Amino acid sequence: MYSSTRRSVLRLGAAGAGSLILPRFAIAQGDNRPSITIAVQKITNSNTLDVLREQSNVGERIFFSHLWEGLIGRDWLGGLKQIPMLATAWKRIDAQTVELTLRPGVKFHNGAEMTADDVVFTFSRERMFANTEAKKRSTLQAFENIPMPRPGKELPVEVPATARRAWPDLIRVDAIDRYTVRFVNATPDVTLEGRLSRYGSEIMSRKGWEDSPSYLDWARKPITTGPYAVVEFKPDAHLILEAHDDYWGGRPPLKRVRFVEVPEVASRVNGLLSGQYQFACDIPPDQIVGIEKNASFEVQGGTILNHRLTVFDKHHPQLADPRVRRAMTHAIDRQAIVDSLWAGRTVVPKGLQWPYYDGMFVADWDVPKFDLALAADLVEQSGYKGDPIPYRLLNNYYTNQVATAQILVEMWKAAGLNVEIESKENWTQIMERTPTRAVRDWSNSAPFNDPVSSIVNQHGPNGQQQQIGEWSNDEANKMAEVMETSTDHDTRRKAFRRMLEICEREDPAYTVLHQNATFTAKPKSIRWKASPAFAMDFRAGNFAM
């Protein structure tokens, strides 16, 4: 059982004093708290603020510590460990059931108190699965008595797809009383607590949903419990948040937070230095030294729980033979990419895993070794004739994305592979199933400290790769099911290792390039600490001047 006796579970940093030199730093009239502007590469990919639709790196930055909160939270400034959030305590009833005690007095942005009814609705069919006929195992059993939503509340396909990945075997959520809920799973699951803390399990206001005339109206101004509420969201332009002064965790230190979309790195940096922005995100490593030459500014950040991947569609004619995909994995000099594009500020990890998996971490595993001769031999064995292999990518959605792609194309060329870049405008074009879908860029995170949160979530039976028809492997799917349902640690660990062997070596679904890193620039006169994640924390104790 986990419980918290303190009212606030937020890490309270020391508030430093100092004078801010930026003339455009706004002080809201009638309120001595400052307002800030943050320049980002992208606000959201879906043009909504729905955690089940916007499962992205950019969404994480916007949502957490601002808008959305779960029953079990993550300590953004304390090693990302699980902490009480909207629930103060939780306990196991059995291998399939977790009971949680809700925090009393939590107010939504509309002033209503959060209760068990809101939690039950958050995980209901109407919220998660309405108007979809797709069923995976027993996921929908508990939702048959939930009425279908009225016209206009139909869910985009991404919502049930994400819900199935996050909660593949959830039967129901019971309200025991006003402040107690019980999650009941169809199968044993040692990761239920992790699933409760993951991206996509945050709580929403039932009344806020019911009062909205359409899904889109709600998704662009969701009513949640976070320290800041949506004032205005103009897709592809800006998002304005205002302090939620009834926030259970204490009065927010900022009056307003304004995110503006500034795709060009130079414009973000120049706007920061001129005082137009107080924070500039997604700073490439080669810009850090130049920014910090100005003694008034600094850059914070480093590696995060996210890996950059190259992903394969095994159904493309040139990639159907796994030897071609294996060749692509061995032709990559990952350390050269880390050294040349990242100035050594990130690392090549041990495949799609992180040390914070603790006992599930496979320490003796490694990414495929860089071996150009082996790669060329595999190409020859496959009978590949030099036909083009399309490689889809966006224009620097990821830091150094285009430069990385250009280097990869040359490395694959050295092994005898003819890979051609296809630039796309958005993720819909990247994912679209056409004859040219073959190779694409992606990244995978670990929302909680178990491999179920990443390799199973993204590449297993409910994972995005299989949902869009990009890759599948029967044995890997069996291993994924073992990892999700077994309660024996050794059995789960062996299944994880076998899944790594299949997905990264034998029948490659993807190949890991490097651990991702994120860097944020700001004036030194602002006392603020970056988290080891995309999320930016502006709650009480982590902002001062």
Side-chain angles (χ1 to χ4, degrees):
M1 178 174 178
Y2 194 110
S3 64
S4 172
T5 57
R6 293 176 298 172
R7 177 177 182 274
S8 173
V9 297
L10 308 178
R11 289 179 60 89
L12 302 178
S19 58
L20 190 63
I21 62 173
L22 302 180
R24 300 185 190 182
F25 190 85
I27 300 296
Q29 201 165 19
D31 190 326
N32 61 4
R33 288 174 295 177
S35 295
I36 62 171
T37 298
I38 303 171
V40 298
Q41 180 266 343
K42 187 71 178 171
I43 295 175
T44 69
N45 296 316
S46 65
N47 287 334
T48 73
L49 305 175
D50 181 359
V51 290
L52 285 181
R53 190 175 184 187
E54 184 65 34
Q55 291 273 305
S56 68
N57 300 338
V58 294
E60 179 180 299
R61 174 179 293 124
I62 299 298
F63 294 162
F64 305 118
S65 300
H66 297 113
L67 289 173
W68 288 93
E69 296 181 315
L71 299 173
I72 301 175
R74 303 177 78 184
D75 189 345
W76 296 111
L77 301 180
L80 304 181
K81 63 180 180 292
Q82 293 177 4
I83 57 173
M85 187 62 69
L86 300 182
T88 58
W90 54 90
K91 64 181 179 181
R92 279 280 179 159
I93 303 300
D94 54 41
Q96 297 170 230
T97 311
V98 173
E99 184 175 283
L100 300 98
T101 302
L102 304 184
R103 188 181 297 277
V106 172
K107 294 293 184 66
F108 285 112
H109 300 153
N110 59 7
E113 185 186 19
M114 182 199 72
T115 69
D117 180 63
D118 297 292
V119 176
V120 171
F121 182 79
T122 296
F123 293 87
S124 69
R125 176 176 177 174
E126 182 174 351
R127 158 60 175 148
M128 284 188 163
F129 295 102
N131 297 327
T132 177
E133 296 303 317
K135 297 185 180 183
K136 196 67 175 179
R137 285 179 274 181
S138 56
T139 307
L140 301 183
Q141 290 179 8
F143 306 128
E144 296 301 331
N145 61 347
I146 302 295
M148 298 297 281
R150 63 181 183 270
K153 287 291 182 70
E154 297 88 353
L155 300 174
V157 294
E158 298 93 340
V159 173
T162 301
R164 287 195 298 275
R165 289 200 298 269
W167 292 97
D169 286 320
L170 182 66
I171 294 179
R172 66 183 186 273
V173 180
D174 295 332
I176 306 304
D177 58 38
R178 186 176 178 84
Y179 299 115
T180 309
V181 293
R182 190 173 288 176
F183 284 70
V184 183
N185 216 45
T187 60
D189 189 345
V190 299
T191 71
L192 286 177
E193 294 85 351
R195 294 182 188 278
L196 283 162
S197 71
R198 62 150 290 142
Y199 186 171
S201 293
E202 292 76 22
I203 307 304
M204 58 187 281
S205 165
R206 180 171 189 166
K207 187 176 188 304
W209 169 271
E210 292 174 343
D211 287 348
S212 294
S214 70
Y215 167 82
L216 190 59
D217 286 301
W218 171 83
R220 290 186 172 171
K221 197 172 184 179
I223 304 300
T224 58
T225 63
Y228 299 92
V230 179
V231 173
E232 180 179 273
F233 177 37
K234 186 175 181 180
D236 302 319
H238 65 255
L239 169 67
I240 300 174
L241 307 176
E242 189 168 80
H244 172 41
D245 286 342
D246 284 335
Y247 179 55
W248 65 269
R251 190 171 186 253
L254 295 168
K255 179 61 178 175
R256 283 196 171 191
V257 179
R258 178 172 175 258
F259 290 93
V260 294
E261 201 161 292
V262 185
E264 301 80 14
V265 173
S267 296
R268 294 198 295 276
V269 172
N270 291 336
L272 173 79
L273 299 178
S274 69
Q276 184 178 3
Y277 315 127
Q278 283 68 60
F279 291 82
C281 300
D282 302 310
I283 300 299
D286 64 357
Q287 298 290 314
I288 294 175
V289 172
I291 293 171
E292 293 189 334
K293 282 183 179 178
N294 187 321
S296 297
F297 294 88
E298 65 179 354
V299 179
Q300 292 191 18
T303 55
I304 60 177
L305 293 175
N306 180 274
H307 290 341
R308 280 277 285 109
L309 314 179
T310 296
V311 185
F312 307 117
D313 186 336
K314 67 186 289 184
H315 303 296
H316 189 277
Q318 308 311 319
L319 299 182
D321 190 324
R323 288 174 293 191
V324 174
R325 285 173 276 134
R326 288 176 57 203
M328 296 181 83
T329 72
H330 288 293
I332 300 171
D333 186 344
R334 296 165 178 81
Q335 192 59 49
I337 293 173
V338 166
D339 292 340
S340 62
L341 296 183
W342 290 87
R345 291 178 184 262
T346 187
V347 297
V348 178
K350 291 179 174 292
L352 190 54
Q353 57 170 346
W354 290 262
Y356 102 132
Y357 285 174
D358 297 328
M360 289 294 289
F361 182 68
V362 184
D364 62 345
W365 186 257
D366 279 302
V367 294
K369 64 179 179 179
F370 170 52
D371 189 330
L372 198 56
L374 174 59
D377 184 54
L378 286 166
V379 171
E380 185 176 356
Q381 289 179 37
S382 73
Y384 170 73
K385 303 300 184 184
D387 293 327
I389 301 174
Y391 176 10
R392 296 178 179 178
L393 77 154
L394 299 171
N395 182 20
N396 288 323
Y397 172 81
Y398 299 110
T399 300
N400 288 326
Q401 184 176 10
V402 173
T404 300
Q406 292 168 340
I407 290 174
L408 289 174
V409 166
E410 292 303 312
M411 290 177 174
W412 288 326
K413 182 179 180 180
L417 294 163
N418 177 22
V419 180
E420 297 182 349
I421 290 175
E422 290 186 354
S423 297
K424 301 295 181 181
E425 294 181 358
N426 53 55
W427 279 105
T428 299
Q429 294 177 2
I430 293 287
M431 301 293 194
E432 186 179 11
R433 190 171 187 173
T434 69
T436 65
R437 190 177 71 182
V439 181
R440 66 177 171 96
D441 282 346
W442 203 21
S443 71
N444 283 180
S445 294
F448 56 91
N449 63 339
D450 189 278
V452 161
S453 74
S454 188
I455 194 169
V456 173
N457 183 65
Q458 301 293 6
H459 308 281
N462 292 311
Q464 187 184 84
Q465 274 209 286
Q466 299 199 43
Q467 286 179 338
I468 67 174
E470 198 171 46
W471 180 91
S472 183
N473 182 285
D474 289 342
E475 186 183 357
N477 287 348
K478 291 177 182 177
M479 296 301 100
E481 186 168 353
V482 169
M483 292 166 65
E484 286 189 314
T485 61
S486 175
T487 58
D488 181 78
H489 174 76
D490 289 339
T491 299
R492 296 185 73 248
R493 195 170 187 276
K494 288 176 182 177
F496 176 39
R497 185 184 188 97
R498 181 62 188 137
M499 198 167 177
L500 283 172
E501 290 171 351
I502 296 167
C503 294
E504 299 190 1
R505 300 276 176 85
E506 297 175 11
D507 184 22
Y510 62 85
T511 194
V512 172
L513 299 178
H514 57 78
Q515 187 164 356
N516 215 344
T518 184
F519 300 97
T520 301
K522 69 172 188 65
K524 288 182 179 178
S525 53
I526 295 178
R527 304 293 184 240
W528 175 84
K529 182 180 178 182
S531 66
F534 286 105
M536 300 181 75
D537 191 346
F538 290 110
R539 290 174 294 179
N542 197 38
F543 186 95
M545 293 185 294

